[in-house]
C-alpha cells in the first residue's frame, strides 16, 4: 500500500509560479509511474503530467506543455510539479497518483491517489 501526500498548493496571480510536491511512503517508489492530475469544479479529473518508472520519460497534457515540469527524486520518494506562467484556467485541485499504467494519461490505470491540494490562480 502506497500513501501519497501532496503539498504546495495555494493562491497565485496569473503569470506566477507555484511548486507542488508529493511524498510517497509504503511502497517501492522507483517502480511506479508518478502522475499529476487535476480536477476543476464540475469537471472530470484530467491528466496533467507523468513520469514513467521504466524509462524516465515525462509526458504532458497539451494545455500545460512548456509551462509545467514534472520531476522525481527516487532517493526522497518525492515527485514534484513546477508550474510556471499560471493561468486562471489552471485553477483546480491537483492530485498525485502512482501506478503502472498501460496508458500514462488514463485515470483508472493509476492505483494510488493523494488527497489533493488546491491551486487557485487569480486573474
Amino acid at each position: 500500500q502506497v500513501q501519497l501526500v501532496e503539498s504546495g498548493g495555494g493562491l497565485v496571480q496569473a503569470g506566477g509560479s507555484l511548486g507542488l510536491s508529493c511524498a510517497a511512503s509504503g511502497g517501492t517508489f522507483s517502480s511506479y509511474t508518478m502522475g499529476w492530475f487535476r480536477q476543476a469544479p464540475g469537471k472530470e479529473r484530467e491528466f496533467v503530467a507523468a513520469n514513467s518508472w521504466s524509462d524516465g520519460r515525462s509526458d504532458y497534457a497539451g494545455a500545460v506543455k512548456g509551462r509545467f515540469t514534472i520531476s522525481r527524486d527516487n532517493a526522497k520518494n518525492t515527485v514534484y510539479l513546477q508550474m510556471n506562467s499560471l493561468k486562471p484556467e489552471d485553477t483546480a485541485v491537483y492530485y498525485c497518483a502512482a501506478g503502472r499504467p498501460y496508458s500514462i494519461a488514463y485515470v483508472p490505470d493509476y492505483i494510488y491517489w493523494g488527497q489533493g491540494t488546491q491551486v487557485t490562480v487569480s486573474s
Side-chain angles (χ1 to χ4, degrees):
Q1 189 77 7
V2 175
Q3 293 80 43
L4 302 173
V5 179
E6 302 98 335
S7 60
L11 174 64
V12 63
Q13 288 189 333
S17 298
L18 206 58
L20 304 182
S21 300
C22 173
S25 61
T28 306
F29 178 80
S30 60
S31 68
Y32 288 101
T33 289
M34 298 302 298
W36 285 98
F37 294 77
R38 66 187 183 187
Q39 189 166 17
K43 295 188 176 181
E44 292 189 352
R45 193 167 298 188
E46 65 176 6
F47 171 74
V48 174
N51 178 264
S52 173
W53 72 275
S54 59
D55 59 10
R57 194 182 79 175
S58 295
D59 288 284
Y60 298 89
V64 307
K65 194 171 293 185
R67 299 188 298 122
F68 290 12
T69 302
I70 187 172
S71 61
R72 67 191 294 164
D73 186 335
N74 288 337
K76 295 183 178 180
N77 290 352
T78 301
V79 62
Y80 306 94
L81 185 69
Q82 179 62 38
M83 305 181 293
N84 298 328
S85 301
L86 282 161
K87 305 175 181 179
E89 51 263 44
D90 294 318
T91 296
V93 177
Y94 283 71
Y95 296 91
C96 172
R100 298 187 183 95
Y102 180 76
S103 172
I104 202 166
Y106 190 50
V107 170
D109 277 356
Y110 286 80
I111 305 169
Y112 304 107
W113 292 85
Q115 81 289 349
T117 186
Q118 177 70 46
V119 172
T120 303
V121 184
S122 63
S123 57

